[in-house]
Amino acid sequence: MLVRSSALVVLGPLLGACGPARSDIARGGPSDMQSVGSSVTAAPSSGAALGPASASASASALAHTPPPIKPGPCPSPGRDLERLFASAYKTAAEHRTREAHQAVDEVLRARLDQLYQAGCRPGATDERLRAELERLFDRTAYATEEDLPHVFVTSRDDETLVVGHSIAGAGALALCQWRNGKLRTRLHVGTALTVPAWAVGNPMAQETKDLLILDYAIVQPPGAADPMLAVASTFPAGVGCWRRMDFRVLTPTADWKTPQAVIDVEIGGRWCGAAKIKAEGADVTVHYGDFPGELGAAGMARLQARSFRFEGGSFVEHFGFPTETLGDVPGGFSYAPNDLVDDWLHKPWTLAQEATVEAARDRLKPLHEKLSLAMARSKSAKKNGEPRFTHERFPEKTADKQRLVVYCALGETQTPCPDWPKPVDFILEKGPLTWIVSDVSPRAGAPKK
């Protein structure tokens, strides 16, 4: 399965006061203990349940049975598992390697498997499961709540869940499923294997290997054979709020360590407002703070969305209508009519038509191409000054419509941009989710200065 969209770009501050919304994971999955490195090598004694963790460890032909339900208290982790967790977590915090993060999450998976085998899983809330994971360490041994190990778990149902942990500025997580009588790892997400090519030579390049998780969600659209994991993330290098972010949807393969990215896009913008993933039916959408665009105020964030739908065995990108709210940012993080027009001009027609009244699509398609090209030419031709696009909004006769006029002028001279038409009127009307374009009319006469 691969993303199909001509608009896709496939890619890969130290935590401060403006941390992401999900603080339990932003301070940052399971693996097969045979490959997690020298930091965790001891085999646990009985009850630790550290067997093969991958989903391919046993024959898939075995009849599926649901997790057992048994009365009685849940078992304690046991001293061996507690020691393994302490060793792995310490190694991850100190060395921040991929293998150390995998070792931590393998211990968490093993602890959850104990609960499954004991019949404690069915009906248990995520809060209960997290409390059971926290029995792996002694809370009284830490001076403050901030010093405690951070572990988390999110269930889709009794058989599918995400488990993970976080340290300062990095984290890791794993998608696990109950299969063939055991809780098994389907895929793991954590520290990058190598420093990204664009970061080579950066004095903080090592930090670009860390995964700072902003949000995640379990995704299984109708027709998908396996559950997938959607992850919005960034890296902890630098001190500012503006930086590259990534959105991926990962599907399991035969090797849990190398999941396949069926969606992999850069969503760079303002990470301090976090990101939100919304998965419903065949659709998955990520909301995030983006750069202002041509029609926004300089330096101010705006709300953006990238939306994908599972169709015919693969994900297809659709026009993203931002509907969620993010963290408060002065002057930003709202989806205004000028943002819609900006998106309409910059996105390919395959997407922009979805933000256009259906009856007007055939008529506006050639005009969309003309105006998009004119805006691109205006931005690239700077011999006479930097082009600046501005806009004004005017009410229409009914409250469900408004007119937005777009102008372009060059630098300090404020002379009209030669490639942009005379002022362009965009007529917008209320759609099911946000404003949509109902008409576009380039005006006669000189642009407004």
Side-chain angles (χ1 to χ4, degrees), residues 233-254:
S233 62
T234 185
F235 53 88
V239 296
C241 286
W242 297 92
R243 111 161 52 103
R244 164 182 159 169
M245 299 184 290
D246 296 293
F247 175 66
R248 292 177 289 167
V249 174
L250 305 169
T251 189
T253 66

Side-chain angles (χ1 to χ4, degrees), residues 26 28 48 55 59 112 156 165 172 177 215 218 242 289 306 314 325 336 362 403 436 441:
L112 289 172
R156 179 174 182 261
H165 70 282
Q177 275 190 297
D215 198 15
I218 300 172
W242 297 92
R306 297 287 293 271
S314 63
T325 57
D362 290 342
R403 178 164 54 97
I436 59 175
S441 302

Side-chain angles (χ1 to χ4, degrees), residues 20-318:
R22 298 187 64 163
S23 59
D24 59 331
I25 60 176
R27 290 189 49 182
S31 71
D32 193 331
M33 290 299 291
Q34 297 174 354
S35 62
V36 295
S38 59
S39 62
V40 181
T41 56
S45 61
S46 60
L50 285 177
S54 70
S56 58
S58 59
S60 59
L62 294 178
H64 176 70
T65 57
I69 304 176
K70 301 176 184 178
C74 295
S76 65
R79 294 296 298 278
D80 287 340
L81 208 56
E82 291 171 358
R83 282 194 291 265
L84 283 172
F85 177 81
S87 174
Y89 199 86
K90 183 175 184 290
T91 303
E94 292 178 354
H95 300 286
R96 312 173 82 87
T97 65
R98 186 182 186 91
E99 293 78 12
H101 283 298
Q102 290 170 347
V104 174
D105 289 339
E106 167 58 16
V107 179
L108 297 177
R109 181 209 63 82
R111 171 57 181 156
L112 289 172
D113 189 61
Q114 285 183 331
L115 304 178
Y116 272 83
Q117 302 297 337
C120 296
R121 172 61 184 106
T125 64
D126 290 346
E127 290 75 15
R128 170 70 184 280
L129 293 177
R130 179 173 175 173
E132 290 292 342
L133 291 177
E134 290 179 346
R135 293 177 67 183
L136 286 165
F137 54 88
D138 181 7
R139 299 179 68 90
T140 64
Y142 299 88
T144 67
E145 286 286 325
E146 192 66 22
D147 297 324
L148 288 170
H150 282 240
V151 297
F152 54 90
V153 59
T154 301
S155 302
R156 179 174 182 261
D157 49 42
D158 283 347
E159 299 189 6
T160 306
L161 53 78
V162 169
V163 64
H165 70 282
S166 59
I167 59 176
L173 48 83
L175 177 66
C176 299
Q177 275 190 297
W178 172 262
R179 287 296 180 268
N180 302 328
K182 190 178 185 68
L183 184 66
R184 302 179 184 276
T185 299
R186 300 304 309 277
L187 62 86
H188 185 267
V189 186
T191 300
L193 286 173
T194 59
V195 172
W198 57 266
V200 173
N202 187 315
M204 293 184 289
Q206 178 62 34
E207 289 184 319
T208 65
K209 295 173 63 177
D210 290 328
L211 185 75
L212 186 58
I213 304 166
L214 302 176
D215 198 15
Y216 63 90
I218 300 172
V219 178
Q220 188 167 12
D226 294 297
M228 293 170 269
L229 186 61
V231 181
S233 62
T234 185
F235 53 88
V239 296
C241 286
W242 297 92
R243 111 161 52 103
R244 164 182 159 169
M245 299 184 290
D246 296 293
F247 175 66
R248 292 177 289 167
V249 174
L250 305 169
T251 189
T253 66
D255 183 357
W256 57 267
K257 292 175 290 186
T258 56
Q260 179 187 3
V262 295
I263 297 176
D264 189 351
V265 295
E266 181 179 351
I267 58 170
R270 189 179 175 89
W271 80 275
C272 292
K276 285 186 179 181
I277 299 173
K278 185 176 182 181
E280 291 183 346
D283 298 320
V284 57
T285 301
V286 58
H287 292 75
Y288 58 98
D290 198 4
F291 296 102
E294 299 298 331
L295 301 180
M300 295 299 174
R302 53 153 292 192
L303 189 62
Q304 181 64 279
R306 297 287 293 271
S307 186
F308 306 85
R309 182 172 302 147
F310 193 73
E311 301 174 3
S314 63
F315 279 100
V316 179
E317 183 165 15
H318 289 263

